Amino acid sequence: MKFSLLTDVNRNTENASLKEQFLVTVQLIVSVAFLISWLLNALLTYDLYLKKTGKEPIFEDAKATQISTYNQCYTLALIVIIAFINYQYIQVSRDKEDGDVNSAIGQFIVSIITLIAGTISLSILLRNLDKQFNQSDITNFEV
């Protein structure tokens, strides 16, 4: 999955404004925070693997579902931050002489679509919170 992390926005790094520096710093922190979410997802997938192969799982079904739901909430919060960064970067692009506003707007639209997909994924997890943990609960929940 691609999170629209300012990859093509304003490659000109000369004379970066304080706002631009702040946005890139927050983006870096969020990128590291996504690693935590992905590692947790890998642990839940390994737990599912253990269950499917008849070995002793790491988590009970209810606990795994609960962790999966919390992890999705955490991921959704990170996606909101990314959408905010991309929104702010539209203004940064307007302020730069060579800024590509269209690219910044495109990045923002992609982050909003990702936010919608993450919200749908979370709503599915919340509806199934009381059901038994199975593969559909964690497969692709990282949007």
Side-chain angles (χ1 to χ4, degrees):
M1 173 177 85
K2 184 173 183 302
F3 277 108
S4 171
L5 294 176
L6 308 175
T7 52
D8 295 321
V9 178
N10 286 334
R11 293 191 179 271
N12 180 3
T13 57
E14 295 177 21
N15 301 322
S17 68
L18 288 177
K19 184 175 184 178
E20 188 175 7
Q21 291 173 16
F22 174 76
L23 292 174
V24 171
T25 302
V26 173
Q27 177 190 342
L28 178 63
I29 293 166
V30 170
S31 296
V32 172
F34 270 117
L35 290 175
I36 295 167
S37 177
W38 290 327
L39 289 173
L40 191 52
N41 185 38
L43 183 63
L44 290 168
T45 303
Y46 180 66
D47 180 65
L48 180 62
Y49 168 80
L50 293 175
K51 289 174 184 175
K52 298 293 183 182
T53 58
K55 298 177 182 168
E56 183 68 26
I58 300 169
F59 306 109
E60 295 176 8
D61 288 345
K63 191 63 161 177
T65 301
Q66 188 178 35
I67 292 170
S68 180
T69 303
Y70 287 138
N71 192 37
Q72 181 62 24
C73 291
Y74 171 75
T75 301
L76 195 58
L78 295 176
I79 294 169
V80 167
I81 294 169
I82 290 298
F84 178 75
I85 289 171
N86 286 328
Y87 178 75
Q88 292 296 313
Y89 223 90
I90 292 170
Q91 185 61 44
V92 170
S93 295
R94 283 188 184 125
D95 293 343
K96 288 198 145 207
E97 290 178 20
D98 61 344
D100 183 2
V101 177
N102 291 333
S103 178
I105 290 171
Q107 296 284 353
F108 177 67
I109 291 170
V110 169
S111 63
I112 293 301
I113 292 169
T114 305
L115 181 61
I116 291 168
T119 302
I120 292 169
S121 179
L122 178 60
S123 70
I124 291 169
L125 277 172
L126 291 175
R127 268 187 296 187
N128 295 324
L129 190 58
D130 294 331
K131 294 182 181 178
Q132 183 177 359
F133 181 74
N134 59 37
Q135 186 172 5
S136 66
D137 287 324
I138 64 167
T139 302
N140 295 326
F141 79 82
E142 293 281 340
V143 184

